Amino acid sequence: MKKLRGILCAFFALFLCVAFLAVGQDYAYAETDRYVYIGGYPIGISIDIDGLLVESVTGVETEYGIAAVEGIRKGDIIKKIDGKAVDDVDDISEIITTADSVQIDLSRDGKDISLQVTPMIEAFSQKPRLGIKIKDVIYGVGTVTFVREDGSYAALGHEISYDGDSIPFAGGHIHACKVVGVKKGGKGEAGALLASVSPDKVYGSVCCNNSFGIAGQYQSDFNKDEKIVLAKRGDVHVGSAKIKTSVNGQSQYYDIEIIKASHQSARKEKGMVIRITDKRLLDLTGGVVRGMSGSPIVQDGKLVGAVTHVFLNDFTKGYGVYAEFLN
């Protein structure tokens, strides 16, 4: 099922890319695409990994003590074991049935590697183990930037990664999400929205995960309260603006200032630098926090961008990406 979702999402992502390239470097919009429904509300995100991510190497409790299988490292993406593809956690135990040496094909730092390893016999179960903690899905929280009339959306404004590294993407979903609190940042660590995600409440698909955020299709109703013009990058200027975000359970507008608007002739990240000026938001969060990524930036009545990153030396400042460049 995960492979099928990956194939469908690959076709959808290809369609998006072709449509994006077809408009040329001017990124001109059809008249019907100029208006979108503004976001500003949180979503839970689950990203399927193409393979199995090694989250940590724990070792195996053998009769002689804890022993680790040599060769496997944290951050590796296991693709195959003895030539058989692995899609979920149960696949490993089904393939490894003896303590004999097995071949593991994996991706490390973007390179394909093959290892020959010998599983360890676990003392309690007497079964062969690799002694690793793995996951096949990465979860996160972000903010919707906008939704088009047909239900296609853009959110987050930056890539979902693992420890700063890109992950092989195999589709995903968006879920119901409720903000329940805020952890303020401190000592070089960004703050974060504390949110409750409902994995069983699926709102739609994730068919794209790249440097400009996630994109996909809503499969359920979405917020149609407010339509807004999707601005071009040339419309953005230094000066007062607003962001729409949800940090206390309700989506609201807050005052900001755009203090830098870079001239970008091609699709790039971090086109804007913003500063939070609204005392209400500063009192609640101290500035930009994780989970606010994707919050729409509005200037002169137009949707001009999305919040993406925070300055770790000044939480009141952050980066924004131009709305024109979003997925």
Side-chain angles (χ1 to χ4, degrees):
M1 183 61 71
K2 189 166 76 173
K3 287 182 178 178
L4 177 60
R5 288 202 303 269
I7 293 171
L8 292 175
C9 284
F11 278 115
F12 183 78
L14 178 61
F15 170 78
L16 288 178
C17 290
V18 171
F20 179 80
L21 290 173
V23 299
Q25 288 300 311
D26 289 335
Y27 303 96
Y29 302 123
E31 187 65 27
T32 54
D33 293 333
R34 292 188 65 239
Y35 287 87
V36 295
Y37 294 102
I38 195 168
Y41 44 89
I43 50 170
I45 305 166
S46 60
I47 298 296
D48 295 330
I49 302 169
D50 183 15
L52 298 176
L53 170 68
V54 179
E55 192 173 11
S56 62
V57 178
T58 59
V60 180
E61 184 73 48
T62 71
E63 294 179 355
Y64 308 100
I66 296 178
V69 173
E70 294 185 3
I72 302 176
R73 301 178 187 174
K74 176 183 176 181
D76 287 346
I77 306 290
I78 298 176
K79 298 294 191 69
K80 294 180 180 181
I81 298 179
D82 276 349
K84 298 178 181 178
V86 288
D87 287 327
D88 57 51
V89 174
D90 294 334
D91 285 344
I92 289 184
S93 58
E94 291 178 3
I95 296 173
I96 299 177
T97 56
T98 70
D100 294 337
S101 177
V102 295
Q103 178 177 308
I104 297 182
D105 296 324
L106 55 82
S107 175
R108 177 182 297 164
D109 299 327
K111 297 180 180 179
D112 293 332
I113 298 174
S114 290
L115 301 175
Q116 204 71 28
V117 302
T118 302
M120 303 286 183
I121 297 297
E122 185 181 47
F124 174 75
S125 66
Q126 289 298 300
K127 293 183 178 180
R129 306 292 189 195
L130 292 178
I132 54 177
K133 184 178 180 181
I134 56 179
K135 60 169 59 178
D136 56 3
V137 179
I138 290 181
Y139 292 95
V141 173
T143 300
V144 174
T145 307
F146 64 80
V147 188
R148 297 182 179 89
E149 188 69 47
D150 63 1
S152 59
Y153 71 87
L156 202 61
H158 64 75
E159 185 178 18
I160 293 179
S161 59
Y162 179 77
D163 281 355
D165 295 325
S166 296
I167 55 173
F169 175 69
H173 294 92
I174 55 174
H175 307 267
C177 178
K178 181 180 180 181
V179 175
V180 297
V182 178
K183 176 186 176 183
K184 291 187 176 182
K187 295 182 180 179
E189 181 181 358
L193 297 182
L194 306 177
S196 173
V197 177
S198 302
D200 57 327
K201 293 184 179 180
V202 177
Y203 283 174
S205 62
V206 178
C207 291
C208 180
N209 176 39
N210 60 31
S211 300
F212 299 90
I214 64 170
Q217 191 77 25
Y218 262 89
Q219 298 166 353
S220 60
D221 291 337
F222 54 89
N223 193 318
K224 294 185 177 181
D225 289 346
E226 184 182 358
K227 260 192 172 182
I228 191 170
V229 172
L230 189 63
K232 296 184 180 181
R233 60 192 181 282
D235 297 332
V236 187
H237 58 85
V238 171
S240 61
K242 294 180 182 293
I243 63 170
K244 190 180 184 186
T245 194
S246 179
V247 297
N248 60 358
Q250 183 178 358
S251 183
Q252 297 183 55
Y253 284 99
Y254 297 95
D255 293 329
I256 67 166
E257 183 182 6
I258 298 176
I259 59 179
K260 182 179 180 181
S262 301
H263 172 72
Q264 294 179 324
S265 58
R267 198 177 187 218
K268 297 179 182 178
E269 306 168 64
K270 299 180 179 179
M272 289 175 273
V273 177
I274 67 168
R275 177 188 289 118
I276 306 295
T277 59
D278 199 305
K279 186 176 184 302
R280 296 172 301 156
L281 186 56
L282 292 173
D283 287 344
L284 286 168
T285 66
V288 180
V289 296
R290 286 175 290 145
M292 283 172 58
S293 295
S295 297
I297 303 171
V298 176
Q299 187 178 57
D300 300 332
K302 299 177 182 180
L303 176 56
V304 299
V307 178
T308 59
H309 298 84
V310 59
F311 282 37
L312 293 181
N313 61 348
D314 184 352
F315 298 138
T316 67
K317 293 181 181 179
Y319 285 108
V321 60
Y322 290 126
E324 185 178 7
F325 296 156
L326 296 178
N327 297 304

